[in-house]
Amino acid sequence: MAQVLEFKLPDLGEGLTEAEIVRWLVEVGDVVAIDQPVVEVETAKAMVEVPCPYGGVVTARFGEEGTELPVGAPLLTVAVGAPEGLRTSGPVTPGPSGDRNGSAPSGSSSPSSSSGSSATESSGGSGNVLVGYGTGAPAARRRRIRPDRLDRTPTLSGAPTAEAPVPEAPVSEAPVSGAPGVAVPAVSSTAAPGSLAPVSDGPVPVVSPLVRRLARQHDIDLRRLTGSGPDGLILRADVDCAIRQAEETEAAKTRTARAAATPTGASPAAASPAASAAPAAERIPLRGVRGAVADKLSRSRTEIPDATCWVDADATELMAVRAAMNAATGPSAGPKVSVLALLARICTAALARFPELNSTVDTEAREIVRLPGVHLGFAAQTERGLVVPVVRDAHTRNAESIGAEIARLTELARTGKLSPAQLTGGTFTLNNYGVFGVDGSTPIINHPEAAMLGVGRIMPKPWVHQGELAIRQVVQLSLTFDHRVCDGGTAGGFLRYVADCVEQPAVLLRTL
């Protein structure tokens, strides 16, 4: 007899509370192995393939592609112990709210779910390490099933089920279509996602803080919503549905008011063409990477008293040194070194001289925390939006090593395979906005860091060199810094040292 185990969305780390299903990698009925990726999800940090810690046959999937699920919500169920198919006398029967792929409601369980831990032990523990479930078999546990959900529990056909008395409740019951003799409360059988319900004085079933904030921004009373998630949990889809209903109601009121204001007998063509032809504004949800960037930038502007200084530098010598390095042959030849790698190496040398800028502010303790190592972030524009991969221990690397790591992380960013750990933990950020063909900018600090160096495009300009006017390769450098960690003298000294290294790369020889 196969034992059906439920796999829930694990905690993906970095404080993430929900994820959006991007692509299912398995279908209902597929046989999966332990640690086989079963679904690709997108968080506020990155896209991640989630492996299943169980091996067996997929019996149900929860949620369509594009659905957002909170951490701990069921992803799928797996029948363990039947490598050649489900050994049952009939097919698996999905619950009333299962999706078209055979999904079952989140509260469902099989008759053998109480002994699910033994199945995991027999099939071997998961070797994958994701926050939320480990590498060994899960500890045995008993699940208590609410009495009012017993009659909605999907079972394996032909398997004996324990009968339990359903307590009487002062609600009307309606039979479920296709299941004679099975009754559920009429309220739950007709509830739709985002539908309104009588105001409850009890706790609001919301897990995600993003859902609460979205409701506050649109004046949605969560107590009046009926959640479509497990045990009535209110999901973002429910709030989005309520927002759309509110907008449609407001639009209907506006149309009614316009119709009332139109003179009797006037033809529709006589109405103002501007009012009838006005296109509706497009609303784009701030979610995923775009939402995470918006939150971080807003927090930076709110918490950090930043200031910006900038300087033009003659990068002719730096470009000549790079050309000579890349043209080297023989034993001294090596991988090509990019301008960004040279600038990153200059930043690590400058931070060694001015460690105040490699720090963060602990607002609760009212302390400046100077960090021992440099984890250098660099801004990268991708199809999913702006991301900032982090080069770990950049202060221990040379230009060639930094360049190789930047190239590796950039490729992962383009393919959407960066992990949350590769996008967090930076202590200083380098932003090369010159690739967009612009000269200058005032960067916003990547919270909770203390500074960011911006680099414009390098282009030929008239420049006084050795007392004569000449055409030189000029770049604008801008430094935005947290004024709490240092004064303008420190920030100016840092930026001047960077400019000196750009103009005279031989200055770097002192620190090599």
Side-chain angles (χ1 to χ4, degrees), residues 48-258:
V48 181
E49 288 186 352
V50 181
C52 179
Y54 310 129
V57 179
V58 178
T59 59
R61 300 189 320 193
F62 298 90
E64 298 289 343
E65 295 178 356
T67 303
E68 274 199 337
L69 298 178
V71 170
L75 272 178
L76 49 77
T77 55
V78 178
V80 177
E84 298 180 358
L86 288 175
R87 301 172 185 174
T88 63
S89 57
V92 176
T93 305
S97 60
D99 62 12
R100 60 183 177 86
N101 295 317
S103 301
S106 60
S108 64
S109 63
S110 69
S112 56
S113 62
S114 62
S115 59
S117 61
S118 62
T120 306
E121 294 172 359
S122 63
S123 62
S126 166
N128 187 276
V129 178
L130 269 182
V131 180
Y133 64 98
T135 59
R141 61 189 180 93
R142 296 175 61 89
R143 293 190 60 186
R144 296 182 59 189
I145 303 176
R146 288 166 45 189
D148 60 346
R149 298 175 65 90
L150 286 174
D151 54 346
R152 288 179 285 173
T153 303
T155 62
L156 298 175
S157 299
T161 57
E163 297 182 358
V166 179
E168 296 182 358
V171 295
S172 60
E173 297 185 346
V176 178
S177 176
V182 180
V184 296
V187 173
S188 61
S189 63
T190 58
S195 61
L196 295 179
V199 177
S200 173
D201 294 332
V204 180
V206 178
V207 173
S208 171
L210 298 179
V211 173
R212 291 184 181 272
R213 184 176 61 196
L214 183 64
R216 286 196 304 268
Q217 291 173 347
H218 294 83
D219 296 327
I220 300 298
D221 189 355
L222 292 173
R223 295 175 301 173
R224 295 184 59 85
L225 292 186
T226 300
S228 60
D231 296 327
L233 183 68
I234 298 177
L235 307 179
R236 173 178 283 187
D238 302 323
V239 178
D240 289 339
C241 182
I243 293 173
R244 288 194 299 269
Q245 291 178 358
E247 291 174 350
E248 292 172 358
T249 301
E250 186 65 24
K253 292 180 180 179
T254 302
R255 289 193 298 268
T256 302
R258 288 178 180 175

Side-chain angles (χ1 to χ4, degrees), residues 369-394:
V369 183
R370 290 191 182 177
L371 304 171
V374 178
H375 302 310
L376 187 67
F378 64 96
Q381 191 70 36
T382 68
E383 293 182 356
R384 299 178 60 238
L386 178 67
V387 295
V388 184
V390 177
V391 178
R392 302 287 173 185
D393 300 316

